[in-house]
Every structure is written in structure tokens, then in C-alpha cells.
Amino acid sequence: MSSSDQWCSETVSAAYAALGLADKIGGMASNGNTYEKNARSIGAWVSSKNYIPSAGDILITHDSNGDRHTYCVISCDGHTIKTIAGGGSSIHHSSISVGSGRITGFVVPEW
């Protein structure tokens, strides 16, 4: 893995594992497709772009090339979803609008 690689899924998996919560998201995952598959298997997948997430949910998006990216939701005010993720050479914060066409879905842990 180099500093130009995306490691967003691994960052989120590591955070949940460190907290002993990997089972709440269907297990560890190294990409967005696996997150979706795992979440579906435990009934924790929400595919609505208009879902209003809570802190701790996992957001899966896709770009124009179809590549998926994984983020941990920090907050949502009903309009803007604030997230944290890893990729490239750093951990970074970002935001996306509820209903964005880039949203693939959410992993919603059963707390």
C-alpha cells in the first residue's frame, strides 16, 4: 500500500475493530462492496439516498468511475452529512448533501 492508495474502508474497519464493534457492521471489510454485502447479511444496509444518518453509521459513496468510498458519519443536520475517512496520505473530514447522487447507501449498526 502506498500513500496514494485509498484506504477508506480499512480505516473505518480499524475504528470499529478497536472499539470491539466489528460485529455491529457485519465484520471487517476492505472495500465498499464487502461492506454492503456484510451489512445486507445482518439487515443493516439502507440504500436510500435520502436516509438521515446518525453518528457512527457508515456512508458508502461512488464516484464517476464507479469506485466506492467509505466514510464514518460524524453528524447530520438533516441536510449535510459530515464524515471522517482515510485515503491518500491523511485522515480527512468531508461532507456530502443528503440525497446526493453519489450516495450508494449506509451501514446502520444496531446499537
Side-chain angles (χ1 to χ4, degrees), residues 76-98:
C76 181
D77 65 6
H79 304 284
T80 302
I81 304 165
K82 294 185 179 183
T83 65
I84 189 167
S89 62
S90 67
I91 300 289
H92 58 276
H93 291 89
S94 60
S95 61
I96 188 170
S97 297
V98 170

